[in-house]
Amino acid sequence: MGVELTPVQVVVIALLCWSVYALFVRTRSAVHRWRLPKLSLAPSQLEMYQGQAFREICRRAANPGLHVVMTDYFAERGWNRADVMRILAEPLKHKLIKIKGWRFGGYSVTRKGWAEYEKKFIWTGGEGVHISSTSGGFVVANVNSPHAVAHGGYGNRANASDIPHQRLVDALRTDADTATPNEAARAQEYADDLASAVDAQDADRTARILGRINALLSTATAAFTLTRELLPPGP
């Protein structure tokens, strides 16, 4: 027969388990902070990198709770341990992500963080949103409506064809699969930023992102065939 535990014993065991876990967390934190290098990032860069790192963790996890290792991503971006701890301080503080495992660089997305990711960064529009080139500036209107159109200028050229927004985002991500690691990281970042900017109806930000995509295409390898077909580099 099994041994029945009294309520007091259950509480004692629960407190013991909590104490062991708390000791583990404190020890892990101390190890991760041991001999931290100097920060290499300017304070003005932190907010941008927070979003980038958070989105990459969510992309790799694909679901809340799954353990992902980010050390390769940090190395590609040139971030040291001090940089990473500063960048991820806010997502950790607001419980959007959690540190997982013993080694530095392991994380998971919380349900709260995943809800934030779905709300702000995952495209959920119904009808396709189009980016149309004109000779003027940039206007975004009624992005989530069936007739939504974003008009964008590429060096004031008026001869570019209409570009479905989702196709451009998908093309960047598809081409990134065969690109160099640096180009792939930039393409993924621009695809996420473009979807977010158009969804937010932020005309200035969308125009800047399109300019960055054009700059990427002007120097990128032949991997970006699909993207070039949709958005040729500016003159």
Side-chain angles (χ1 to χ4, degrees):
M1 295 181 61
V3 178
E4 292 187 4
L5 299 177
T6 66
V8 173
Q9 289 174 320
V10 171
V11 171
V12 169
I13 292 174
L15 289 174
L16 180 60
C17 292
W18 179 85
S19 299
V20 171
Y21 179 73
L23 178 61
F24 167 77
V25 170
R26 286 197 297 269
T27 304
R28 179 181 62 188
S29 178
V31 171
H32 289 182
R33 293 179 178 278
W34 177 255
R35 294 183 177 178
L36 278 180
K38 292 184 178 180
L39 283 169
S40 65
L41 304 176
S44 59
Q45 297 175 298
L46 291 176
E47 183 175 356
M48 176 179 65
Y49 289 154
Q50 283 170 5
Q52 293 174 5
F54 173 68
R55 293 196 299 273
E56 182 63 21
I57 293 171
C58 291
R59 280 197 298 267
R60 295 191 180 198
N63 284 290
L66 295 182
H67 181 185
V68 296
V69 178
M70 300 293 296
T71 48
D72 62 326
Y73 176 77
F74 299 151
E76 288 173 3
R77 306 304 296 269
W79 299 342
N80 61 42
R81 275 189 301 131
D83 295 332
V84 172
M85 295 181 78
R86 184 72 177 274
I87 289 168
L88 295 181
E90 285 298 307
L92 287 167
K93 174 183 176 182
H94 294 290
K95 295 181 171 55
L96 302 180
I97 60 174
K98 294 175 63 176
I99 298 174
K100 299 288 284 188
W102 174 259
R103 294 181 178 275
F104 181 79
Y107 302 92
S108 68
V109 186
T110 65
R111 293 193 178 278
K112 177 182 177 182
W114 192 256
E116 186 78 2
Y117 179 60
E118 285 184 319
K119 181 175 68 175
K120 292 188 176 180
F121 301 113
I122 293 182
W123 175 255
T124 56
E127 297 288 337
V129 175
H130 290 72
I131 300 175
S132 306
S133 179
T134 68
S135 59
F138 201 91
V139 178
V140 179
N142 301 322
V143 171
N144 289 320
S145 75
H147 305 291
V149 177
H151 299 281
Y154 311 108
N156 288 325
R157 294 186 308 146
N159 59 350
S161 60
D162 285 358
I163 303 168
H165 170 262
Q166 188 59 42
R167 284 179 58 198
L168 178 56
V169 171
D170 290 343
L172 279 170
R173 290 172 175 161
T174 299
D175 287 339
D177 290 339
T178 55
T180 65
N182 182 56
E183 290 173 352
R186 290 170 63 194
Q188 293 280 8
E189 173 191 333
Y190 295 165
D192 291 341
D193 287 347
L194 179 59
S196 174
V198 175
D199 189 50
Q201 302 188 28
D202 189 331
D204 291 338
R205 182 181 169 209
T206 308
R208 289 195 299 270
I209 295 167
L210 289 173
R212 292 202 294 270
I213 295 172
N214 271 327
L216 169 64
L217 295 179
S218 68
T219 60
T221 63
F224 289 86
T225 303
L226 296 174
T227 306
R228 284 193 173 97
E229 290 177 353
L230 290 172
L231 185 61

